Amino acid sequence: MPNKETPAADEPRSYRYRDCLDGTAPIPKDALGNAIFSLLMAGGMTTFMVSFNGVRHSGLSFFFESLWLYPVIFCLAMALRFLYVNRAVACLGPRFVFPRFAGARRNVAMTLVNVAIMAPVMATIVTVLLKGPEGLLLNLATELPLSMAAAVTVNLLVVGPVVKLLYHNVIRPTTSLRLCQLSQRFVTNWAGLFTG
């Protein structure tokens, strides 16, 4: 019987904001769901963090002069997530997070693990793109703590819950219905070949 923290993957239900905070709303495990979820998370975090760091660096003129940074950082974030972040989180989560934490604490712990793995690399890339390589270590020493604090807060309270709500309450029901309809059509057409 599924518990509150890990509902059955095929159990259709609606979730609320509180469910996203307390760990009730799960992260999709299937390949399609995980890919959609990762795209939405990367898009949300890229939008917030590039805006946050860009405004700190250039003020509001950032939105008129440096919009090119959004797609660049999004592509880099997706590449990093699929190349090493997902594997690192999949390795660290079951060993250090899942046995020790449940519910909201597990949610916070997983957010911290994700940000700890992703933020230093992304902060380095953004700092180099915005300020250049000169004085990189000093820039990182001043930028990284605030950037990581902002990333944890935004991931935990804004982007993570919004993406979970969007995925479980809007995308998943629609996607499941479409996949079911496509499967029925496919099976019906093939069955017609052998029975006709």
Side-chain angles (χ1 to χ4, degrees):
M1 181 173 172
N3 60 29
K4 189 179 181 185
E5 283 79 18
T6 56
D10 58 352
E11 179 186 333
R13 63 165 284 192
S14 293
Y15 291 95
R16 298 167 299 153
Y17 180 77
R18 183 177 176 177
D19 297 326
C20 300
L21 295 181
D22 68 14
T24 304
I27 293 172
K29 303 291 185 208
D30 61 293
L32 176 62
N34 192 265
I36 293 170
F37 187 85
S38 295
L39 285 168
L40 292 172
M41 282 297 293
M45 288 303 293
T46 296
T47 302
F48 270 94
M49 295 311 297
V50 169
S51 300
F52 175 77
N53 290 308
V55 169
R56 287 181 64 225
H57 177 259
S58 310
L60 292 178
S61 64
F62 170 79
F63 294 113
F64 303 101
E65 299 168 357
S66 303
L67 291 179
W68 58 269
L69 200 55
Y70 289 100
V72 169
I73 296 301
F74 175 78
C75 292
L76 289 171
M78 288 305 298
L80 287 173
R81 180 146 291 281
F82 286 119
L83 287 174
Y84 89 98
V85 174
N86 283 351
R87 292 176 193 165
V89 170
C91 180
L92 294 173
R95 289 184 185 179
F96 301 107
V97 177
F98 297 150
R100 296 180 182 154
F101 303 104
R105 290 180 180 177
R106 178 184 291 179
N107 204 27
V108 171
M110 287 306 294
T111 298
L112 291 172
V113 167
N114 271 288
V115 170
I117 294 170
M118 193 87 168
V121 178
M122 295 307 297
T124 302
I125 293 169
V126 171
T127 301
V128 169
L129 289 173
L130 289 175
K131 297 185 176 183
E134 191 173 332
L136 178 61
L137 293 178
L138 180 61
N139 285 331
L140 281 177
T142 56
E143 300 288 334
L144 190 56
L146 185 57
S147 188
M148 287 186 74
V152 168
T153 304
V154 167
N155 190 310
L156 193 61
L157 300 178
V158 182
V159 175
V162 167
V163 167
K164 286 179 181 176
L165 290 171
L166 184 62
Y167 176 78
H168 287 293
N169 297 344
V170 178
I171 295 172
R172 185 171 178 233
T174 307
T175 306
S176 298
L177 180 62
R178 285 183 185 158
L179 286 176
C180 183
Q181 289 170 342
L182 284 171
S183 300
Q184 287 175 342
R185 274 192 215 145
F186 180 77
V187 169
T188 303
N189 290 340
W190 274 98
L193 287 174
F194 294 107
T195 57

